[in-house]
Amino acid sequence: MALRYRITKRTNSIKNKEEQYILQAVNTGTIDLDTLSESISNECTLHEVDVKAVLMALGKKLDHYLSEGKIVDLGDVGKFKMGFSGIAATAPEALSVNENIKKFHINYQPSLKMKRKLKAGITTYKEGSRSV
């Protein structure tokens, strides 16, 4: 498989205001839980319903353990951990959870196997071209 890209024009409004062009990855759709479950069940002895139940339970357990501050290591998939971005204060006493934390997010760290695959390079093709 190959990753699709397009060329996009950008303007840097902070610095020199020159137009620049970048390569931008383009997604080709979304795979939902049903499709993923069916695909996995076709490659193993588990029924689609069993795979779906495990994936749904995985989502709930991810939520539970990440909310506790744990790092969830899924082996070849990678690691997930909770993080947040906030606003700095001039003194430690001026910090408060409600005022200084702006939003929460989940950090993803790919596995070593996945990192090696990314470092080796992914096949790409330009959006609209017929050859891959």
Side-chain angles (χ1 to χ4, degrees), residues 8-12 17-22 24:
T8 306
K9 181 170 56 171
R10 296 286 168 110
T11 304
N12 185 344
K17 306 208 186 249
E18 286 182 16
E19 290 180 347
Q20 296 177 325
Y21 295 87
I22 62 166
Q24 181 180 25

Side-chain angles (χ1 to χ4, degrees), residues 85-104:
S85 55
I87 302 169
T90 55
E93 303 80 29
L95 291 172
S96 94
V97 172
N98 293 334
E99 296 294 323
N100 295 88
I101 294 178
K102 288 175 63 176
K103 66 178 183 176
F104 293 89

Side-chain angles (χ1 to χ4, degrees), residues 27-71:
N27 70 49
T28 56
T30 302
I31 299 299
D32 64 7
L33 190 60
D34 292 331
T35 306
L36 185 59
S37 300
E38 181 181 354
S39 176
I40 292 171
S41 75
N42 289 335
E43 296 180 15
C44 66
T45 59
L46 295 173
H47 191 274
E48 178 183 338
V49 176
D50 299 322
V51 175
K52 186 174 181 179
V54 169
L55 292 174
M56 290 172 63
L58 175 62
K60 290 181 180 182
K61 289 301 176 186
L62 267 172
D63 178 37
H64 171 77
Y65 288 117
L66 290 173
S67 296
E68 286 186 345
K70 305 274 191 224
I71 296 172

